[in-house]
Amino acid sequence: GQQLNQSPQSMFIQEGEDVSMNCTSSSIFNTWLWYKQDPGEGPVLLIALYKAGELTSNGRLTAQFGITRKDSFLNISASIPSDVGIYFCAGHNYGQNFVFGPGTRLSVLP
Amino acid sequence: DTEVTQTPKHLVMGMTNKKSLKCEQHMGHRAMYWYKQKAKKPPELMFVYSYEKLSINESVPSRFSPECPNSSLLNLHLHALQPEDSALYLCASSQDPGYNSPLHFGNGTRLTVT
């Protein structure tokens, strides 16, 4: 079946730094979603991408739908302590269910 | 605040108990989902309801029994569970089943089977 890889698996950064993470697949997708999950809570939708090459922002977050349709990228600018959590990507093709990546765990050092 | 509401937030049950998890959404979404999530892992799909009908069962053991009483409600009935079934159970909804409408998750029920 389709599988997604996320890189890095985990990262520690200093508050105020910019963060980059990505999601890759051997298959193409028509939709990419990015979620953030805090401990004890459900995943919260951050950004949805529907078109190859699309670049979408949500506050300090920016995500891009890769041109090959096999990858997506998430950037966080000027990180703050509340950015701590697990970031999941999810890919989708019509008529199929969403496939989730294994997640990137972000920890921020004060 | 999440627009998908799950109750209870925490549940501890013995292996012989029968319990139910409940989920409610009022966004007019036509697809509802149950996911199971183990620690440090992504959500795993269990069931999909499309227009109140079960459309997908991802080979889930029969000790988990879903029910969709109406378009806003989704239940998961639990019976004779095993300790390895302990996990975070997430409910989600989306506008259209099978299409690329994003999933909206509830905050989950943390289930512990003793």
Side-chain angles (χ1 to χ4, degrees), chain B residues 15 36 38 63-64 81-87 89 111-114:
Chain B
M15 289 189 284
K36 174 182 177 181
K38 290 285 209 178
R63 56 186 184 269
F64 295 92
L81 295 193
Q82 304 296 310
E84 59 264 30
D85 295 323
S86 298
Y89 288 84
L111 175 67
T112 303
V113 182
T114 60

Side-chain angles (χ1 to χ4, degrees), chain B residues 30-83:
Chain B
R30 307 310 302 198
M32 296 187 77
Y33 309 75
W34 281 114
Y35 280 84
K36 174 182 177 181
Q37 187 179 29
K38 290 285 209 178
K40 300 184 181 181
K41 297 289 187 183
E44 296 175 33
L45 182 63
M46 300 175 71
F47 301 105
V48 181
Y49 272 83
S50 171
Y51 295 94
E52 302 169 43
K53 299 248 186 300
L54 182 65
S55 61
I56 293 177
N57 175 342
E58 291 285 345
S59 303
V60 179
S62 60
R63 56 186 184 269
F64 295 92
S65 175
E67 178 196 19
C68 188
N70 60 53
S71 61
S72 300
L73 295 174
L74 187 65
N75 299 322
L76 186 62
H77 303 296
L78 314 172
H79 174 54
L81 295 193
Q82 304 296 310

Side-chain angles (χ1 to χ4, degrees), chain B residues 4-19:
Chain B
V4 177
T5 305
Q6 291 187 244
T7 56
K9 190 170 176 62
H10 300 277
L11 179 63
V12 179
M13 60 185 290
M15 289 189 284
T16 59
N17 291 159
K18 285 185 181 181
K19 296 286 184 183

Side-chain angles (χ1 to χ4, degrees), chain A residues 7 23 32 38 40-41 43 46 51 54 57 62-63 74 80 83 96 108:
Chain A
S7 179
C23 185
W32 288 97
D38 292 329
E41 298 186 6
L46 299 174
K51 192 174 171 183
E54 180 181 356
S57 294
T62 302
L74 177 69
I80 59 177
D83 291 332
Q96 299 177 13
V108 178

Side-chain angles (χ1 to χ4, degrees), chain A residues 10-66:
Chain A
S10 62
M11 56 193 312
F12 288 85
I13 60 169
Q14 290 280 350
E15 185 177 349
E17 286 184 351
D18 296 343
V19 174
S20 292
M21 61 186 78
N22 65 56
C23 185
T24 59
S25 170
S26 57
S27 307
I28 63 173
F29 286 100
N30 292 315
T31 300
W32 288 97
L33 305 178
W34 284 93
Y35 288 89
K36 176 177 182 274
Q37 186 171 24
D38 292 329
E41 298 186 6
V44 174
L45 181 67
L46 299 174
I47 292 178
L49 302 160
Y50 299 104
K51 192 174 171 183
E54 180 181 356
L55 188 70
T56 298
S57 294
N58 177 5
R60 294 178 296 105
L61 277 61
T62 302
Q64 183 162 25
F65 193 139

